[in-house]
Amino acid sequence: MVIQVLRRVGSKGVSFLESFGASGMFLFQSLVAVPNIRNNFPLLVKQIYAVGVMSLVIIMVSGLFIGMVLALQGYNILTRYGSEQALGQLVSLTLLRELGPVVAALLFAGRAGSALTAEIGLMKSTEQIAGLEMIGVDPLRRVIAPRFWAGIICMPVLAIIFSSVGIWGASLVGVDWLGVYSGSFWANMQDSVQFSDDVLNGVIKSIAFGFVITWIAVFQGYDAVPTSEGIGQATTRTVVYASLAILGLDFILTAVMFGDL
Amino acid sequence: MRIRTLEISVGAFMVAGFAALIFLALKVSGLTLDAAEESYEVTARFENIGGLTVRAKVTMAGVVIGRVSNIYLDKEDFVGVVEMDIYNQFDNLSIDSTASILTAGVLGEKYIGIVVGAEDEYLAEGDEIEDTQSALVLEDLVSKFLFNKTQE
Amino acid sequence: MSDSDSSGIENSDNDGNFIEVRDLTFYRGDRVIYQNVSLDIPRGKITAIMGPSGTGKTTLLRLIGGQLKPDSGTVKVDGKHIPNLTRKELFALRSRMGMLFQSGALFTDVSVYENVAFPLRVHTNLPEDMIRDVVLMKLHAVGLRGARNLMPSELSGGMARRVALARAIALDPDLVMYDEPFAGQDPVAMGVVVQLIRLLNDALGHTSIIVSHDVAEAASIADYIYVLADGEIIGQGAPDEVLHSDAPRLKQFMQGLPDGPVPFHFPARDLRDDLLAGVK
């Protein structure tokens, strides 16, 4: 009994390590394959369009509403202590440090990550990947690398836009609707937000998230069983793994950045 | 022409991201473009710094004139030493100015308030403000109050 | 590998075999796909590899293309042992191979024109107007010059396969591999593909390998046929010989008999016993 359980745990562990190693190798190979900017730049632009521009609407709408909700909730609580002028501080720090990078990353995983997995899985099942190999083109270089870089480039841009739109939404609700004095709203914000700490740390977080999400997404697509069922499962796995990775990584990064570790 | 719109939208996307970053820098974190303002450093020794942190404001008459750059303990005298950067434009603070640790509101952040003195000589790089007033610690206040009460 | 560059213009072997497979053994997991298979693909001819579904005919093409490595044995293409090639040499060799995939494998995000132009752009530095000429000629050869601005999703299955064929021959390869070119085609489209394979082979003088289980079509254009089953070669020869062979397994496959050495019934115990056993 015990031996059996041990054996099962052991083989699970080994297969986990194996797939982790395989995805690491995969990552390494696709990132080593960067050069030849002249040929690959148009591919990168196309992928930034697919990954970034196509995610822009959902990011902006979500950012707007989250900023507005934060302002409403924050105002309700702060007004109890007569310190509603701290609203700007509350909203901006929450957005810049946590919600901006994290929620944008979760949306990105759902919108762009799943699309990446499905697209690559479909390319695999329709033999386009094998076709590239037979034409003598490294699919890692041609297909994976541009998508990967596009993800890493787009994620911080999206997170910055998310936070900005959120703060703007909060000012709409807080200043224009609830009547917080606009001078103290912005001044309080500027007083408490440090560019190098809060803004840049948020950007660093989102770069890390972009890295992890696209890594998971392209690997799941490349590793998918090339059937419609397999692609469906791979897409689900991308969203689940990416979301868990984002939240776990966020805790670690927050502890390192803001936790005086 | 399809490829054109794609490139233009990607360009617009990157520009929007850059504009948002500038918005965050200028409007939200109040970064001024000439951020690296010239300053000179002075120190002050306090019995108790009571929760003052690095990068706290240094004010005079309520106007920010500098930032706290470093805080450490003097191991011989057992007092807290605060180093602060005063912006160069405020170069006429007399050498007998007073520095005190104040609190914004009842529970707000700690900052340093400087009250100018009467001497003709001015503070310069590396000088020390001799006349200091430590932070008010709530526990001390309460015990002083109770002590006074029992005396009556 | 020292003579690898000169072997393309080597004349001594020109009438010999383009591909030589010796003692090939290949496992997928624990399953034996090939057990000591040896076969030769003659230069400039059409060779058909036939056999029941699931015998790993496509696997053979992937072994030749270097996408898979054999567990033992040698696979020599134009004198070069595929598994020993470096990645760079392999990719260089692949630029001399064209492959027509079962599904066409067209790149779905670019037009027909760009699909055919793709290998040219990757492997040559031709100026744009020469690429245009070559692409239009190849598309003309498969009769789809007028469809150059369509996207792959707008093509019928037969047209997609013809575009894929144009792409496969874009670089004038020495070897073209066809993976089930007849499967799932209506009779007209099938007739077109059959004719194209023969015409292109004769006009361009490359070596062709057809992997198929469509007996009639493959036999009608092949110069030589190998029949694979259960990991070994069960028959080979010119189409006529193979078609009229009396070897039982070969006969069953070539003539499509429902019962024979490959039994109609999945192994089970006696019907009478089974019925009498009732529900336990």
Side-chain angles (χ1 to χ4, degrees):
Chain A
M1 249 322 266
V2 179
I3 303 257
Q4 263 184 346
V5 170
L6 272 180
R7 184 178 297 166
R8 201 173 311 150
V9 169
S11 80
K12 271 266 160 63
V14 167
S15 72
F16 170 77
L17 277 182
E18 189 186 347
S19 69
F20 194 71
S23 67
M25 290 277 293
F26 166 83
L27 179 72
F28 179 74
Q29 282 173 355
S30 33
L31 289 196
V32 164
V34 211
N36 202 348
I37 302 234
R38 193 177 60 84
N39 275 347
N40 286 348
F41 191 70
L43 294 175
L44 182 65
V45 168
K46 204 167 171 182
Q47 288 311 319
I48 291 180
Y49 179 81
V51 168
V53 178
M54 298 300 274
S55 310
L56 193 57
V57 171
I58 185 175
I59 290 284
M60 287 178 69
V61 172
S62 316
L64 183 69
F65 279 106
I66 284 183
M68 285 162 63
V69 165
L70 272 181
L72 264 182
Q73 290 281 13
Y75 181 83
N76 273 339
I77 293 169
L78 289 173
T79 195
R80 254 184 252 169
Y81 304 103
S83 45
E84 58 267 23
Q85 68 276 6
L87 187 62
Q89 174 180 352
L90 173 106
V91 170
S92 59
L93 286 183
T94 319
L95 276 171
L96 289 173
R97 288 184 175 178
E98 286 299 331
L99 287 187
V102 172
V103 177
L106 290 174
L107 292 169
F108 185 74
R111 171 65 185 78
S114 58
L116 274 182
T117 304
E119 190 194 8
I120 294 174
L122 203 64
M123 288 180 78
K124 196 180 171 189
S125 81
T126 53
E127 295 175 306
Q128 291 182 51
I129 301 267
L132 278 172
E133 275 184 17
M134 281 310 297
I135 290 174
V137 173
D138 187 349
L140 290 180
R141 193 174 294 201
R142 185 85 192 181
V143 176
I144 305 298
R147 285 170 172 76
F148 200 87
W149 288 111
I152 293 179
I153 292 170
C154 288
M155 189 63 250
V157 174
L158 289 172
I160 289 169
I161 292 177
F162 183 96
S163 296
S164 307
V165 173
I167 289 169
W168 178 66
S171 83
L172 277 187
V173 169
V175 175
D176 299 342
W177 182 24
L178 297 172
V180 176
Y181 174 56
S182 98
S184 58
F185 179 88
W186 291 109
N188 242 309
M189 192 185 293
Q190 293 176 1
D191 251 13
S192 53
V193 175
Q194 291 288 332
F195 185 75
S196 58
D197 285 4
D198 301 315
V199 179
L200 287 189
N201 274 346
V203 171
I204 292 171
K205 267 190 183 182
S206 59
I207 292 175
F209 294 157
F211 181 83
V212 170
I213 296 168
T214 31
W215 180 12
I216 292 175
V218 293
F219 180 71
Q220 289 296 342
Y222 200 72
D223 198 40
V225 181
T227 59
S228 46
E229 195 189 10
I231 295 171
Q233 283 171 349
T235 313
T236 312
R237 272 203 301 275
T238 293
V239 176
V240 172
Y241 290 175
S243 305
L244 291 178
I246 291 163
L247 296 173
L249 190 63
D250 181 51
F251 177 75
I252 296 170
L253 287 176
T254 306
V256 171
M257 289 170 173
F258 304 105
D260 290 335
L261 270 185
Chain B
M1 277 325 265
R2 233 175 96 255
I3 197 84
R4 285 280 118 187
T5 58
L6 185 146
E7 277 154 3
I8 289 169
S9 62
V10 168
F13 171 69
M14 299 307 281
V15 168
F18 201 66
L21 187 66
I22 290 175
F23 167 76
L24 290 185
L26 298 184
K27 183 88 181 175
V28 175
S29 52
L31 204 69
T32 42
L33 287 176
D34 45 5
E37 207 166 342
E38 297 286 306
S39 61
Y40 61 97
E41 187 184 282
V42 298
T43 57
R45 303 156 82 83
F46 294 93
E47 294 278 323
N48 190 335
I49 61 152
L52 186 75
T53 56
V54 172
R55 260 198 306 280
K57 289 180 286 190
V58 177
T59 65
M60 172 172 284
V63 179
V64 177
I65 60 166
R67 296 265 167 197
V68 172
S69 60
N70 192 15
I71 297 174
Y72 61 91
L73 182 72
D74 183 327
K75 278 202 275 189
E76 279 163 22
D77 300 343
F78 301 108
V79 294
V81 182
V82 175
E83 292 174 354
M84 49 196 134
D85 293 332
I86 312 283
Y87 302 142
N88 274 1
Q89 62 184 111
F90 309 107
D91 57 356
N92 56 347
L93 310 183
S94 66
I95 199 145
D96 62 340
S97 296
T98 314
S100 38
I101 297 179
L102 306 170
T103 309
V106 183
L107 299 168
E109 55 178 335
K110 296 277 195 280
Y111 65 99
I112 290 185
I114 292 182
V115 178
V116 79
E119 289 277 345
D120 285 340
E121 206 178 327
Y122 298 137
L123 283 171
E125 171 76 28
D127 282 352
E128 182 179 329
I129 299 177
E130 306 280 348
D131 193 0
T132 62
Q133 196 176 349
S134 288
L136 286 179
V137 178
L138 207 56
E139 290 89 331
D140 291 349
L141 281 180
V142 171
S143 68
K144 212 176 277 176
F145 175 74
L146 289 177
F147 185 72
N148 287 342
K149 274 287 184 198
T150 47
Q151 292 283 301
E152 283 170 9
Chain C
M1 282 307 118
S2 56
D3 61 343
S4 63
D5 286 330
S6 59
S7 59
I9 30 174
E10 205 171 37
N11 274 328
S12 60
D13 204 24
N14 230 4
D15 298 322
N17 298 319
F18 191 70
I19 298 173
E20 291 182 354
V21 176
R22 291 287 173 270
D23 302 324
L24 172 69
T25 303
F26 183 76
Y27 297 95
R28 178 159 283 163
D30 294 332
R31 211 158 71 89
V32 179
I33 306 290
Y34 292 115
Q35 186 77 51
N36 288 326
V37 169
S38 298
L39 51 82
D40 296 320
I41 309 288
R43 195 180 288 268
K45 299 277 171 55
I46 298 179
T47 306
I49 313 275
M50 312 192 66
S53 303
T55 45
K57 301 184 298 290
T58 306
T59 307
L60 183 65
L61 295 187
R62 288 178 179 244
L63 285 163
I64 292 171
Q67 288 180 309
L68 297 173
K69 288 193 180 206
D71 289 299
S72 70
T74 58
V75 180
K76 281 193 177 172
V77 177
D78 203 14
K80 285 172 233 174
H81 182 42
I82 295 285
N84 285 351
L85 295 183
T86 64
R87 200 174 171 75
K88 206 174 163 191
E89 289 168 328
L90 184 62
F91 277 17
L93 186 60
R94 278 182 189 164
S95 70
R96 294 169 50 204
M97 299 179 186
M99 180 148 175
L100 181 68
F101 285 89
Q102 199 165 345
S103 58
L106 294 179
F107 305 129
T108 43
D109 53 346
V110 291
S111 67
V112 165
Y113 177 91
E114 284 299 322
N115 261 289
V116 181
F118 184 82
L120 296 165
R121 292 193 203 284
V122 171
H123 287 293
T124 68
N125 286 319
L126 293 179
E128 190 57 39
D129 51 343
M130 279 185 71
I131 288 184
R132 188 186 133 89
D133 291 350
V134 176
V135 170
L136 293 186
M137 270 160 55
K138 301 295 176 188
L139 279 174
H140 185 73
V142 297
L144 290 176
R145 191 162 41 87
R148 60 176 177 265
N149 290 325
L150 296 182
M151 295 300 282
S153 56
E154 296 170 291
L155 301 175
S156 71
M159 284 159 78
R161 216 163 286 191
R162 278 149 71 190
V163 173
L165 182 53
R167 187 179 67 183
I169 59 170
L171 286 170
D172 292 324
D174 299 330
L175 170 68
V176 181
M177 296 186 272
Y178 301 89
D179 186 3
E180 299 285 1
F182 315 119
Q185 299 271 324
D186 63 66
V188 177
M190 188 138 69
V192 171
V193 173
V194 168
Q195 199 191 8
L196 269 178
I197 292 175
R198 185 77 247 180
L199 279 176
L200 290 174
N201 190 77
D202 294 348
L204 303 175
H206 53 237
T207 307
S208 303
I209 305 177
I210 301 174
V211 153
S212 178
H213 52 231
D214 293 287
V215 173
E217 287 74 21
S220 70
I221 50 170
D223 296 310
Y224 201 79
I225 294 181
Y226 285 95
V227 182
L228 293 171
D230 304 325
E232 54 184 17
I233 296 174
I234 59 168
Q236 57 176 295
D240 274 353
E241 292 172 43
V242 177
L243 270 175
H244 302 112
S245 165
D246 281 333
R249 283 208 290 180
L250 198 52
K251 188 173 172 186
Q252 187 191 3
F253 177 76
M254 296 307 284
Q255 301 181 10
L257 305 175
D259 209 354
V262 179
F264 172 70
H265 290 291
F266 193 79
R269 59 179 167 157
D270 189 61
L271 175 66
R272 196 179 134 85
D273 289 352
D274 223 354
L275 290 176
L276 286 177
V279 182
K280 286 271 163 64

